[in-house]
Amino acid sequence: MIERTKILLEENEMPTQWYNIVADLPEPPPPALHPGTHQPATAEDFKPLFPMALVEQEVSTERYIDIPGDVLDVYRLWRPSPLFRARRLEKHLDTPAKIFYKYEGVSPAGSHKPNTAVPQAWYNAQEGVRKLTTETGAGQWGSSLAFACAQFGLECEIWQVAASYLAKPHRRTMMETWGGRVHPSPSEVTEFGRKLLAENPDHPGSLGIAISEAVSEAIEDETVRYALGSVLNHVLLHQTIIGEEALLQLAKVGETPDVLVGCTGGGSNFGGLAFPFLREKLAGKMNPVIRCVEPAACPTLTKGEYRYDFGDTAGLTPLMKMHTLGHGFVPEPIHAGGLRYHGMAPLVSHVYELGLVEAIALPQLECFEGAIKFARSEGIVPAPEPTHAIAAAIREALACKESGEDKIILTALCGHGHLDLASYDRYLRGEMRDLELSDDVIKAAMLDVPEIA
Ligand SMILES: *Cc1c(COP(=O)(O)O)cnc(C)c1O
């Protein structure tokens, strides 16, 4: 087999279907529930929020769903994305392991998020929607949706978590460049935002609060819908293009992974990479260990409970069965803004409960230390979120060095960090700290989670 560092697919080799893991799971995932009646949510319950095509995908049990031609056209601006073998990092670590990373930073917004922003905007445009509202934490989702809306002539209104609105002015500029309208959250625009600002004018905000604001604006207007950048089944579905491409690329060099690691905030880049490999594993064609990596300051899988909770702080969304730290949980302002979400995708939570995937939590200093090694060897400056995946891959590669095993490690480098250099600055100046999360804080936030019989 030819040894290659950069494994590319031709445009005509790009997969034309998304993969729905629900079709292959040994048990179906528990349904979402109506927030008031606690009965399984119906299509009607989702209708004020999402277009019908996406509601259908949310509850679909079809194994494969065709990617619309218009969406493939936009995907081709940057897809297929490259798969790299991290030879220089391997050499630096002096490991017998082979490390592969699927690089999603080549998209216009610099992360994997446009993989779902583009189809979401397209389906909304098809159903005559005028405007999409959304939240954004670090700004990656907001910029991806603003880009996608610009492709199909939709307006885009974005609530950005106040802490990152202040810390990341360039992400806002990016959203505005693509035509998005951006508010800091909590904002004066919504009733919920005004209430929180009255209590604390310097409220740092959270993803859960920003979701409440964006949702409340969408349900008030027939021509407006809401879009979510992670967590939901249809989002993970769209992201499976990552894993489907990676499977084809690894096949080109004759490799199958022994270990797959991915960072998990809401679970979409992880699910997108891992689910096609999990399909192969369930079919007995390969047997990789599949591991979620989350921040120690927001340890949803490793410390949260698996139970029904709201997706947002105000309790407007359907109840989802997921690993949660409580919908009122406000994580410490760690640098990986995209990993600061109180819940985990119901599908990722479900496969974790089934024992099909593992999870670990890493402190941010180890992650940035790994990112520096990665940048100095591989060249790419990672976004703060995938530094968790990189640090986990490095742990695995160093364990191989100890044991002498030549494992194949696969991860997703789901975004670049060019707009996150303030985080690197803090690390390089020695100002970054690991933030300990006490069990008392978790307990307190869990008190508000509804009891479902
Ligand atoms: C949003 C984001 C994340 C976290 O979201 P997931 O749904 O867990 O993937 C991770 N990395 C990057 C680069 C992001 O933009």
Side-chain angles (χ1 to χ4, degrees):
M1 214 32 95
I2 320 158
E3 297 262 298
R4 280 199 274 173
T5 299
K6 186 177 182 184
I7 305 141
L8 298 173
L9 294 176
E10 300 294 332
E11 269 191 24
N12 62 14
E13 292 175 295
M14 188 168 87
T16 56
Q17 293 183 311
W18 294 301
Y19 168 59
N20 180 9
I21 185 117
V22 174
D24 289 321
L25 290 177
E27 274 174 46
L33 302 181
H34 185 278
T37 65
H38 295 182
Q39 293 303 305
T42 61
E44 284 300 309
D45 297 331
F46 287 108
K47 236 172 137 181
L49 292 179
F50 303 114
M52 273 332 282
L54 293 176
V55 175
E56 280 161 22
Q57 290 180 2
E58 190 60 24
V59 297
S60 171
T61 53
E62 290 291 311
R63 181 169 286 111
Y64 293 102
I65 293 177
D66 288 337
I67 307 175
D70 289 345
V71 173
L72 289 172
D73 282 345
V74 181
Y75 275 0
R76 283 192 196 96
L77 292 176
W78 72 96
R79 305 208 73 86
S81 71
L83 178 77
F84 288 94
R85 176 157 165 213
R87 286 178 189 281
R88 290 171 180 80
L89 179 64
E90 290 166 16
K91 194 163 168 229
H92 174 78
L93 298 172
D94 189 24
T95 176
K98 292 181 189 171
I99 305 171
F100 290 89
Y101 61 95
K102 179 77 168 151
Y103 185 42
E104 291 294 310
V106 291
S107 81
S111 76
H112 65 292
K113 296 250 170 49
N115 296 334
T116 184
V118 172
Q120 288 195 48
W122 186 80
Y123 287 115
N124 274 286
Q126 290 304 105
E127 294 186 25
V129 171
R130 171 180 62 89
K131 177 165 87 177
L132 287 179
T133 66
T134 199
E135 75 294 333
T136 194
Q140 286 136 327
W141 170 241
S143 43
S144 301
L145 194 68
F147 154 71
C149 284
Q151 299 302 306
F152 303 114
L154 291 172
E155 294 170 44
C156 186
E157 194 163 352
I158 302 150
W159 278 261
Q160 183 174 14
V161 175
S164 73
Y165 181 90
L166 296 172
K168 297 191 161 188
H170 297 132
R171 271 284 167 195
R172 171 161 46 98
T173 308
M174 209 168 171
M175 292 184 255
E176 289 173 351
T177 300
W178 277 314
R181 201 166 145 220
V182 190
H183 312 281
S185 169
S187 73
E188 295 288 352
V189 183
T190 69
E191 203 183 307
F192 187 53
R194 285 191 294 272
K195 177 174 155 275
L196 294 173
L197 284 176
E199 287 162 18
N200 176 8
D202 298 320
H203 201 301
S206 73
L207 271 178
I209 294 167
I211 294 173
S212 297
E213 294 200 89
V215 165
S216 68
E217 285 293 290
I219 51 189
E220 274 164 25
D221 187 335
E222 257 296 291
T223 65
V224 181
R225 291 284 182 277
Y226 165 72
L228 189 62
S230 184
V231 180
L232 297 177
N233 299 353
H234 67 265
V235 178
L236 274 61
L237 173 83
H238 301 154
Q239 293 295 353
T240 58
I241 183 97
I242 303 172
E244 293 290 15
E245 285 182 3
L247 269 170
L248 297 174
Q249 286 162 309
L250 281 178
K252 284 195 181 227
V253 289
E255 304 284 14
T256 53
D258 297 302
V259 184
L260 187 159
V261 291
C263 69
T264 46
S268 73
N269 88 83
F270 171 82
L273 176 68
F275 286 174
F277 287 87
L278 186 51
R279 172 188 67 217
E280 302 298 299
K281 180 171 172 159
L282 290 168
K285 294 183 194 158
M286 54 175 74
N287 195 23
V289 168
I290 304 180
R291 190 174 297 140
C292 306
V293 190
E294 55 187 16
C298 193
T300 323
L301 286 168
T302 52
K303 293 219 173 143
E305 288 181 38
Y306 183 55
R307 56 192 277 191
Y308 276 101
D309 196 6
F310 295 107
D312 72 313
T313 306
L316 301 176
T317 67
L319 289 156
M320 293 176 289
K321 189 142 187 200
M322 60 183 177
H323 273 264
T324 180
L325 294 165
H327 60 273
F329 178 73
V330 180
E332 293 286 338
I334 52 166
H335 291 283
L339 304 184
R340 292 176 69 232
Y341 182 61
H342 68 271
M344 180 53 60
L347 275 177
V348 173
S349 300
H350 182 59
V351 296
Y352 180 65
E353 284 299 308
L354 291 174
L356 300 174
V357 306
E358 307 176 349
I360 56 169
L362 296 187
Q364 64 179 353
L365 277 172
E366 178 180 342
C367 297
F368 272 85
E369 195 183 303
I372 297 287
K373 284 195 183 118
F374 186 90
R376 289 182 188 173
S377 52
E378 292 298 310
I380 299 169
V381 178
E385 294 82 8
T387 63
H388 292 72
I390 289 166
I394 290 176
R395 270 195 187 188
E396 195 65 40
L398 292 176
C400 286
K401 183 179 173 183
E402 286 292 311
S403 66
E405 289 170 284
D406 56 353
K407 287 186 185 168
I408 308 295
I409 303 167
L410 172 65
T411 193
L413 179 50
C414 55
H416 67 63
H418 299 176
L419 293 166
D420 303 286
L421 293 176
S423 304
Y424 281 87
D425 190 50
R426 294 208 63 189
Y427 176 81
L428 293 168
R429 288 172 195 280
E431 289 167 7
M432 191 178 284
R433 301 275 173 273
D434 279 336
L435 301 159
E436 283 303 319
L437 178 61
S438 79
D439 289 344
D440 290 347
V441 173
I442 299 178
K443 251 187 226 148
M446 289 305 294
L447 291 177
D448 288 338
V449 178
E451 294 289 343
I452 308 285

